[in-house]
Amino acid sequence: MDAITRRILEIKRERGDSLLILGHHYQRHGIVDVADHVGDSFGLAKAAAEAPRARDIVFCGVRFMAESAAILCREDQKVFHPEPEAGCPMADMAPMDSVESAWATITARLDYRGRKMVPVTYMNSHAPLKGFTGAQGGLVCTSSNAGKALRWAFERGDLVLFFPDQHLGRNTAKALGIREDEMRVWYPSKPDGGLDTLEGVKMLLWNGHCPVHMKFSARDARFVKKNFPGSLVVVHPECEQELVDLADGVGSTEYIVKYVAALPEGTRVFVGTEANLVDRLKRENPKLKVEFLTRSLCPTMYMVDREKLLRTLENLEGEEPVPMPTEVREPARLALERMLSLAPNPSLQQTLAN
Ligand code: SF4
């Protein structure tokens, strides 16, 4: 153990339960090794909301995750983000001016009359979009509970506007039995989102994607199946539908961790998700042959390192907590609490059976 890790552990001992370090699965190994909780965004959002004694929460992940913890935490808690510049390109694809303009355009259309639209927003989004979602009667979801979130929304309306990841929206809706001709992509840069009609449309998918998961393709899966007979492919639902359809397992980060851990000894499995997690799956499952479907690292997750974590921990009194204005926090909290009341789905496929 080196001096940085030793010092981090020393501060943790000194602070006891008043300090909570959360680390996303995509974080570097050195961060994961010192975190109190490691999980996906759903698990970490819950951990932040349910930490009774923690006063200072240090979130090692990207910006939207730290913001979600700041929305859910109590008045006496503060959330710190060791690298405020670590954002998420997918969250940036749904800026509020485009979102508000799309909402106004859709609700003003003649073929919208008599319908009710419910927004469903993926956790991987900025706080103001979560606030907008809560204020418009919608909810947040993660890849662990997107199926349940869509069911919730369709109990309250007949049209869902899904932000910002079109692939998670499409894959989840398909698993629920919504046909492809009932889904349309909304292109914010085109007049009327690029749509002539809303007739028969149940799902409007915002034109956003995760650049990290777009690196995996159906071609990769076909190559693997042809050249490594008997091997398995497991992917995240942020991947495109053609790949998801070919995969043996599809689910959230937490699902992928459990899926791999449960495989019989000697199995060769190709994993289509962020490289740091796949690296860790290799380390934690030495009796399996865990392979990268393609190596794809999230550069913004990678911006958080142990040095930045230590600097934050040593300056907690002087450090600026993640700001969260009340007018954003209250409606965003509503949208997040609606999500937290849903139990996660272990996989998209299982959603069909629920
Ligand atoms: S993996 Fe994708 S969705 Fe997650 S933080 Fe990186 S860019 Fe954003």
Side-chain angles (χ1 to χ4, degrees):
M1 188 190 301
D2 70 4
I4 296 178
T5 301
R6 254 203 315 279
R7 181 67 191 126
I8 292 173
L9 295 178
E10 209 174 277
I11 295 174
K12 282 183 64 166
R13 267 195 306 276
E14 284 162 13
R15 295 256 174 181
D17 289 347
S18 73
L19 172 68
L20 181 71
I21 301 179
L22 301 175
H24 190 267
H25 278 303
Y26 298 170
Q27 288 288 289
R28 297 166 185 243
H29 307 319
I31 296 280
V32 164
D33 291 345
V34 297
D36 295 301
H37 286 282
V38 178
D40 62 9
S41 45
F42 179 82
L44 294 178
K46 269 184 86 91
E50 293 167 359
R53 281 190 284 274
R55 293 286 171 273
D56 298 314
I57 300 170
V58 180
F59 207 119
C60 299
V62 290
R63 184 82 183 160
F64 71 77
M65 296 175 176
E67 283 180 347
S68 298
I71 292 164
L72 287 169
C73 72
R74 298 187 309 266
E75 292 290 320
D76 61 328
Q77 292 176 315
K78 287 183 190 143
V79 177
F80 299 92
H81 187 206
E83 177 45 276
E85 294 298 311
C88 165
M90 175 156 76
D92 295 343
M93 290 175 196
M96 277 318 292
D97 53 345
S98 301
V99 167
E100 280 164 354
S101 144
W103 191 267
T105 305
I106 296 164
T107 52
R109 287 176 64 138
L110 283 177
D111 57 357
Y112 176 76
R113 302 284 147 81
R115 304 192 69 177
K116 168 99 174 82
M117 180 163 61
V118 180
V120 178
T121 295
Y122 191 21
M123 182 68 121
N124 305 18
S125 55
H126 295 306
L129 177 52
K130 292 186 176 78
F132 176 87
T133 302
Q136 297 294 347
L139 84 172
V140 169
C141 73
T142 69
S143 50
S144 300
N145 56 29
K148 281 204 162 71
L150 279 192
R151 281 179 188 276
W152 185 98
F154 280 118
E155 279 161 17
R156 288 155 181 84
D158 57 0
L159 177 63
V160 165
L161 180 51
F162 191 91
F163 300 102
D165 183 17
Q166 61 161 298
H167 301 287
L168 176 65
R170 182 179 297 106
N171 290 323
T172 309
K174 190 175 173 214
L176 288 178
I178 295 176
R179 299 190 314 267
E180 284 186 32
D181 62 307
E182 294 172 323
M183 300 186 229
R184 289 283 187 284
V185 176
W186 181 271
Y187 295 95
S189 56
K190 295 187 183 175
D192 269 355
L195 295 184
D196 302 335
T197 179
L198 294 173
E199 284 304 327
V201 177
K202 289 187 178 170
M203 280 289 286
L204 281 173
L205 305 163
W206 193 260
N207 184 30
H209 63 268
C210 163
V212 175
H213 287 92
M214 289 308 287
K215 292 221 176 102
F216 309 109
S217 70
R219 225 174 99 205
D220 299 330
R222 284 194 203 96
F223 176 86
V224 158
K225 292 285 179 185
K226 186 171 165 217
N227 291 288
F228 301 94
S231 63
L232 299 171
V233 173
V234 59
V235 300
H236 193 279
E238 287 172 20
C239 295
E240 58 190 4
Q241 187 201 319
E242 204 188 341
L243 169 57
V244 164
D245 289 348
L246 291 172
D248 300 288
V250 183
S252 68
T253 318
E254 209 66 56
Y255 166 83
I256 291 174
V257 171
K258 288 185 185 143
Y259 178 95
V260 171
L263 292 174
E265 198 176 321
T267 307
R268 188 186 290 271
V269 58
F270 289 81
V271 185
T273 194
E274 206 275 342
N276 265 314
L277 174 59
V278 184
D279 256 334
R280 215 160 49 253
L281 290 173
K282 282 171 180 279
R283 276 199 320 191
E284 287 169 4
N285 298 280
K287 293 186 176 153
L288 301 175
K289 293 175 187 131
V290 179
E291 316 265 9
F292 294 104
L293 188 56
T294 291
R295 198 167 197 288
S296 184
L297 184 89
C298 178
T300 51
M301 283 279 185
Y302 201 71
M303 287 168 75
V304 180
D305 59 23
R306 289 176 315 142
E307 288 78 359
K308 289 172 187 167
L309 171 60
L310 179 57
R311 202 163 55 223
T312 301
L313 292 175
E314 285 191 317
N315 295 303
L316 279 179
E317 314 313 329
E319 193 90 355
E320 191 63 31
V322 175
M324 194 48 60
T326 314
E327 65 276 16
V328 172
R329 181 188 165 136
E330 286 182 357
R333 190 179 175 111
L334 193 61
L336 279 162
E337 282 175 349
R338 286 175 184 142
M339 174 192 80
L340 289 169
S341 68
L342 307 170
N345 284 318
S347 77
L348 287 175
Q349 283 93 345
Q350 194 161 329
T351 311
L352 289 170
N354 286 345

